[in-house]
Amino acid sequence: MTRRGLLAAVALGVAGAPAHAQSASDLVASGVSAYENLELSAAAGLLRRGLAAGADSLGFRDYARALTYLGATEVIRGNSDSSRAAFRQLVRHDPRRRLDPLVFPPEVADVFESVRLTTKVALVDVPGISEFTPGASGFRPWVIVSSFSQVMASIQQPGGTVVRTVYDGPISDSLRLEWDARRPDGTLVPSGRYVLAVQTTGASGAVVRLVRVPLDVVVIPQDTLPHPPGPDPGALLPERLGSGAGLEALIGGIGIGAAVVGLSSSLASGAELTAARFGVGGAVAIVGFVGFLQQRPGKSIPDNVVANEAVRSAWRLRVQAVMEENRLRREQASVTIQSEPVQIIDRDR
Amino acid sequence: MIASGRTACIVALVGVIALLTPRSATTQTFEVGATAMSLRLTRESGTTATATGAAFGIEGRVRVQSVSLILRYHQGHLTGDSPLIDQDFVEGEAFVVVQPARWISFGVGPHVRAYVEPSGTERWLMWEGRLRLGAALLPAVTGYLEGWRVLGADLNVAEALDSGYGLDGGLEIRLSGAPVGFLLRYRTEHAELGGGTRRETVEQIALGIRLGR
């Protein structure tokens, strides 16, 4: 091989990979050009060959452009079924698509509109990663419909159990949904895998399209505070009298009273004492007996009951404060939702 | 004359108790009071004679933790039956008291007594050791019984003091939180002198009021 031939082969090899995609785009461009020159058969052929490469190879925009011009070509050629099929595929590919009336004649636009209005499909635009605090913000997918449609959007477990219905009703154009990672009862869902399911219902009531977006939900709740321990039983005052105080009063009063009377007499043996000792000794004994009656074992101590109730009330207030604080902390959980690629399931294909 | 060595032992014992008493919290109280009392002196010296009268006095108490200093003074006039004659009566006490527990305390100190007669003054100085027991009868009322014995004495009379002891019992009333308290006391003191040739008994019943916390 000559040196020039070797360079040409290398150049072809380097350019080989994009050559297929580029040629599909070229085919679409050529098809559009043929449509504009009213070479309708050639346009249809070129566009179909370009579309055969698929949406992934052509890219979202060229694929939609090819379907638009193929539908218009078939309308003008009088192929109603082919045009409607192309436009239906276009609406499913890009529900937001509208035809420019300056570019396409009214009969083309009319066919497209009739197809768009009868093709009930939705598209879901989800953020890649959503980080939010429930109550302040949420996971906010955007639902776009081709035309006025009944849409039900729900968060489901992978098995299909509905965790929460986010929206169930009509959408005329688009709607921003919001889910705060809570169940209907207000509690946060646990971390795990969930699915955002958006289904579009056709005029017959049958599900036309189901869009599934797998979600990876991570809920990080704030640490909650432990409840304060109850009042230490050892720190509470006794609420009933024991036997100590009453017996001390009884034994002490009678003992001291008897000692005042008896010991005084024996102490001053021979001396004549006054009767005062009986008065004082008797008074001490009587007070001791009264003390026993007032402090008899098992008698309630109202002051201690009140003091203990104050301690218990203070503890209950602390528990309530902690419960309130914990409730606020649970509200302030941090949630991260990561979306995976959207899955589209069309039912009337 | 009672041996003075015993006094030293009692004083030392009270000091040891004071040192060993736990000091959980710093507690300081101060109290002053006034006392009115009825006195009856019975003296047996061959014959038995009595003298009665009234006395008024003051007393104070300072307490730091479990150690207290108690001072008492009172004076009055006794009207006597022959052979006792009318005379003035003066008495003073100073005691250091240790209270190791709520219901018991020990004390030691001098007790001075004087009988003032026209012919002269008879003075008694007695060193006494005291034991006091208390019981809470009601939240505001404490009953107490205090006994003491003379450990040593110095008298300016012809007879020597052979023995002396006494008993004090009554009620102390202190309403919760109130700075005022009341006292009802009955006291008997008995002394023997001169190998039993003279015996003397002093009987008191007193009412008092105390101020302080």
Side-chain angles (χ1 to χ4, degrees), chain A:
Chain A
M1 184 177 286
T2 63
R3 189 174 177 183
R4 185 177 295 173
L6 186 61
L7 287 173
V10 170
L12 285 171
V14 169
H20 178 70
Q22 198 171 20
S23 63
S25 295
D26 288 345
L27 287 171
V28 172
S30 300
V32 171
S33 180
Y35 168 85
E36 289 170 345
N37 294 328
L38 294 179
E39 298 168 356
L40 299 178
S41 297
L46 288 167
L47 291 169
R48 286 187 197 285
R49 285 169 58 196
L51 287 167
D56 291 342
S57 297
L58 268 179
F60 183 87
R61 191 171 172 179
D62 277 352
Y63 193 76
R65 188 166 175 243
L67 286 172
T68 304
Y69 277 90
L70 178 61
T73 300
E74 297 296 357
V75 169
I76 296 171
R77 290 174 71 189
N79 297 330
S80 173
D81 290 346
S82 298
S83 64
R84 297 184 78 83
F87 281 144
R88 193 176 299 115
Q89 194 174 349
L90 173 61
V91 170
R92 284 175 172 156
H93 176 68
D94 182 5
R96 282 168 291 194
R97 192 77 177 181
R98 300 292 185 270
L99 295 191
D100 187 348
L102 297 176
V103 175
F104 297 100
E107 61 268 30
V108 172
D110 289 346
V111 174
F112 174 79
E113 282 302 303
S114 72
V115 170
R116 186 177 71 82
L117 292 174
T118 55
T119 305
K120 307 292 186 183
V121 292
L123 202 63
V124 180
D125 187 6
V126 290
I129 295 180
S130 298
E131 292 180 356
F132 60 89
T133 300
S137 183
F139 171 63
R140 305 185 72 201
W142 191 25
V143 177
I144 307 110
V145 294
S146 56
S147 59
F148 186 88
S149 303
Q150 288 292 326
V151 172
M152 188 174 80
S154 61
I155 304 295
Q156 301 178 355
Q157 291 179 337
T161 305
V162 174
V163 174
R164 183 163 181 184
T165 299
V166 182
Y167 182 78
D168 187 5
I171 298 177
S172 59
D173 181 71
S174 63
L175 181 67
R176 178 74 77 178
L177 304 177
E178 182 162 350
W179 179 50
D180 57 2
R182 294 183 191 280
R183 300 187 185 92
D185 63 3
T187 57
L188 284 170
V189 299
S191 297
R193 293 187 64 78
Y194 297 85
V195 174
L196 168 64
V198 179
Q199 65 181 35
T200 316
T201 306
S204 63
V207 175
V208 190
R209 168 174 280 193
L210 176 61
V211 179
R212 288 170 54 89
V213 186
L215 305 174
D216 190 8
V217 178
V218 178
V219 179
I220 304 173
Q222 281 198 2
D223 287 343
T224 53
L225 299 174
H227 282 195
D232 179 10
L236 293 175
L237 299 171
E239 297 187 357
R240 292 192 176 278
L241 286 171
S243 58
L247 288 180
E248 179 180 341
L250 185 65
I251 296 172
I254 292 176
I256 292 171
V260 166
V261 174
L263 288 179
S264 299
S265 301
S266 60
L267 193 75
S269 60
E272 185 182 343
L273 298 177
T274 65
R277 65 187 187 283
F278 294 105
V280 174
V284 175
I286 289 170
V287 172
F289 187 68
V290 171
F292 171 73
L293 293 180
Q294 283 205 352
Q295 305 171 88
R296 63 186 181 278
K299 187 179 179 185
S300 176
I301 310 173
D303 288 348
N304 288 5
V305 171
V306 171
N308 288 345
E309 181 54 30
V311 172
R312 294 190 187 99
S313 294
W315 171 72
R316 283 195 288 269
L317 287 176
R318 288 198 302 274
V319 170
Q320 286 179 354
V322 168
M323 290 171 69
E324 178 63 17
E325 172 66 20
N326 287 345
R327 189 186 67 77
L328 294 175
R329 289 187 175 206
R330 280 191 289 271
E331 296 283 335
Q332 293 166 356
S334 170
V335 178
T336 302
I337 297 179
Q338 186 166 4
S339 304
E340 295 182 4
V342 176
Q343 304 165 2
I344 297 175
I345 303 166
D346 286 324
R347 296 286 169 81
D348 65 342
R349 197 176 278 267

Side-chain angles (χ1 to χ4, degrees), chain B residues 41-45 47-49 84 115 122 198-200:
Chain B
L41 168 65
T42 303
R43 183 173 292 169
E44 297 175 60
S45 179
T47 59
T48 301
L84 279 174
Y115 301 101
E122 184 178 315
R198 178 178 169 183
R199 292 195 293 181
E200 196 162 307

Side-chain angles (χ1 to χ4, degrees), chain A residues 265 271-279, chain B residues 38-40 52 186 203-205:
Chain A
S265 301
E272 185 182 343
L273 298 177
T274 65
R277 65 187 187 283
F278 294 105
Chain B
S38 170
L39 290 170
R40 187 169 189 269
T52 58
Y186 175 80
E203 191 180 7
Q204 299 177 5
I205 180 166

